[in-house]
Amino acid sequence: MTSTETSPAGTRTSGRIGDSPLRPDGTLKVTGEFAYASDLWHDDMAWGVTLRSPHPHARILSIDIGEALAVPGVTAVLTAGDVPGENSVGLEHQDTPVLAGDVVRYQGEPVALVAADHPETARRAAKRIVVEYEPLLALTDPRKALDPDAPQVQPGGNLVRHLKVRRGEENPSAPVVVALDFEVGMQDQAFLGPESGLAVPAEDGGLDLYVATQWLHVDQRQVCRALGMAPAKVRLHLAGVGGAFGGREDLSMHVHACLLAQHTGKPVKMSYNREESFFGHVHRHPAWLHYEFGAERDGTLVYAKADLLFDGGAYASSTPAVVGNGGTLGLGPYRIPNVHVDARGVYTNNPPCGAMRGFGCVQAAFAHEALMDELADTVGVDRVEIRARNGMREGDHNITGQLIDSAAPVAELIRKVRDLPLPPEPGTERDLRELPGGVSNTTHGEGVVRGVGYAVTYKNVGFSEGFDDYSTARVRLQVTGGEPVATVLTAAAEVGQGLITVEQQIVRTELGVDRVVVAPKDTSVGSGGSTSASRQTYVTGGAVKAACEAVRASVLGRAATLLGRSGLRLDGDKIVDVGGEVLADLVEVLGDEVVEETVEWRHRPTYPVDPETGQGTAHVQYAFSAHRAVVDVDVELGLVKVVALDTAQDVGKAINPDAVIGQIQGGSAQGMGLALMEEIVVADGIVKNPSFTDYLIPTILDMPPMKIEVLEYADPHAPYGVRGVGEPPTISSGPAVAAAIREATGRALRRVPIRPEHITGV
């Protein structure tokens, strides 16, 4: 399958598994009619604003809210003492204050809240809050975090997690040894919809929170902890999400809006502006990596050593899991008999870091793919073939000793991208828009060199290391308006990836009905888990499939009783016997009855790795991808134009082929962005570029054409054989771009994003 093989307009199929039906939110988003969280409104609402620390590390000596309270229109000003429950929340570890009370640990940490009848009034009042700070020594270099004399960011020390992976010989040797150091900058999720929500007091004394998020139930748990309220009193509803990519897994304005709503007795809306959004969510961990490969003279890997250091910032967020992924997957999809890996995450007084698409594997891939190129050049083997020679295959064991028990087509993927047609070589007359610098007219082709680079990677799917990863689905079947209608209820967040469409496709496939309603997402049904880790089609899809199977069994049982027959099955909206003879309509069998089933579905269990060796079955599934990048580089000015970014990926089963292509394209854009331009610049704990003026992301003009090959090697352990799709392209695209720039320039380029001065040396 290629990117051009999608359903043409006007010929969309019915919307079952393998089709590409139109998404119900697609037209609304294109026309600007879709309601995002920032569009939430209540006639009687107040507006909430957060006051944030200007210091990366300081002691709070006093807070004077008097002048703020005196501003006309202000209805509440709150500080840490007004938090009725526990003043600590967190995704994995409850170490993050709702409002800082004694100490602030990063620039932008929330200190106080204001509610007023107008957002500008609330902002003016927040500026009148007088906070007296005593600046403290800030730890901003993670490489010094574990020094004995380093300032302690958290009471228990600066180490969040140290993961060790040991396999094979303790001190292996090899005739060829290559090594490098690599650095990866801090990337932002850069979702376009800012953090927004509306908290509404309810008549029962509880609250309804409408919010853009990735995980309703884990948000609910944290909000309840801070408010000191039972889950039945705190109901969360998914509002329209304008992108997520991991940045909405942690709380932002959730508790703050609820606190203000409690104190004012009025609905309270909070919506961050773009600058505040940069301070209001976690980012991708910057990383410092040292890698060493030992190999035979033909390039066959003998051993690998790696040391990975992740800057987690001031609070834990998902740093332990990022370290887990970086350590267990950080050597890439290769067969390596002897392994020595240390992965660490540390606290600093830099902005908190957590989940972002690719989750620990992105950083590592830049290093292991750069080193594979160096190994290939050292031993004189083609850069594609050295990956194919060492690539995992089904039946292999990875570095944690886990059996790869489904397809692992590393060699096929990397050779497929190599064999795709290359873009034509440039002629003597070139359109400025095709050159580095574009219409800025910096070059007419002089000083422009073309390079080609490759990368192959793999990524775990779902939650790992023994986490109880499940999703809940409720499916209801009844007759409405003379035809069967199915309703599916899950709490799995739709964040733009197309989950609602997938849920409908599964129900249509399993129950044969055309009308499928997806109920609004909220906490009235059991947890759907997080929309992250490329897991929702697998896990929530599995739950919906299982609930449909239970509904179908109930319907067929009812039909068997009514018809006095056994061996019945559903064929569309007909009840048929084993020979296919139609015996009844589904509508007749259902009558006035409502058939409803709820299923809590889990994938195969995973297990914690051994603390000393890192050995164990840590992950449930792996997804593989490969990229080839073609770049033109102006070596005199350091400007880069990505000419092509082609890819091959195994998706197991393309539930929705158009959506698969979209996920691959979007993920590739984010990987390319990190390679070339995306970085939150932090100096001494201070963010220097919290805006889309200075934090650059690829636009449609930056994205090149993409040839996409989709493989469908079904995973026998997954519903429909699916594999996660969204993350692998983010992991392999960036290293391929970096490799292409290295080939064009001849420079080592051991840091991303690659800046012009790295290329020119000036």
Side-chain angles (χ1 to χ4, degrees), residues 486-665:
T487 302
V488 57
L489 301 93
T490 76
E494 167 66 74
V495 300
Q497 82 279 32
L499 178 63
I500 288 175
T501 311
V502 167
E503 290 179 354
Q504 291 176 318
Q505 289 179 262
I506 292 171
V507 175
R508 289 190 185 109
T509 299
E510 297 298 328
L511 297 182
V513 299
D514 288 326
R515 288 185 59 193
V516 180
V517 177
V518 177
K521 309 286 189 171
D522 58 37
T523 50
S524 65
V525 67
S527 177
S530 176
T531 297
S532 61
S534 304
R535 63 179 288 283
Q536 285 295 12
T537 297
Y538 188 142
V539 184
T540 294
V544 172
K545 181 176 185 289
C548 286
E549 291 168 346
V551 167
R552 186 173 65 232
S554 179
V555 168
L556 292 177
R558 177 178 173 81
T561 301
L562 290 174
L563 300 173
R565 300 280 292 270
S566 60
L568 305 179
R569 59 186 176 86
L570 264 178
D571 186 357
D573 60 355
K574 307 295 183 183
I575 307 294
V576 303
D577 64 14
V578 290
E581 180 184 353
V582 176
L583 303 178
D585 288 335
L586 179 58
V587 170
E588 297 170 357
V589 172
L590 285 173
D592 295 331
E593 183 178 352
V594 177
V595 179
E596 182 177 287
E597 299 287 348
T598 301
V599 172
E600 193 174 86
W601 190 88
R602 288 169 168 80
H603 57 57
R604 295 186 294 167
T606 61
Y607 302 93
V609 295
D610 183 274
E612 294 303 317
T613 65
Q615 299 300 290
T617 303
H619 306 296
V620 68
Q621 187 192 66
Y622 300 97
F624 297 81
S625 67
H627 272 81
R628 180 188 67 191
V630 181
V631 303
D632 282 346
V633 183
D634 185 333
V635 296
E636 297 171 354
L637 295 178
L639 302 178
V640 177
K641 171 73 173 180
V642 181
V643 178
L645 190 57
D646 303 319
T647 183
Q649 183 170 331
D650 175 22
V651 305
K653 171 63 180 177
I655 300 294
N656 185 317
D658 283 3
V660 166
I661 295 298
Q663 284 288 298
I664 292 172
Q665 290 170 332

Side-chain angles (χ1 to χ4, degrees), residues 669-701:
Q670 285 184 309
M672 185 186 85
L674 178 55
L676 291 175
M677 62 187 76
E678 293 191 47
E679 182 176 13
I680 296 178
V681 179
V682 183
D684 298 324
I686 302 298
V687 176
K688 297 296 186 180
N689 59 333
S691 74
F692 282 164
T693 300
D694 300 309
Y695 182 92
L696 303 180
I697 58 176
T699 69
I700 193 169
L701 294 177

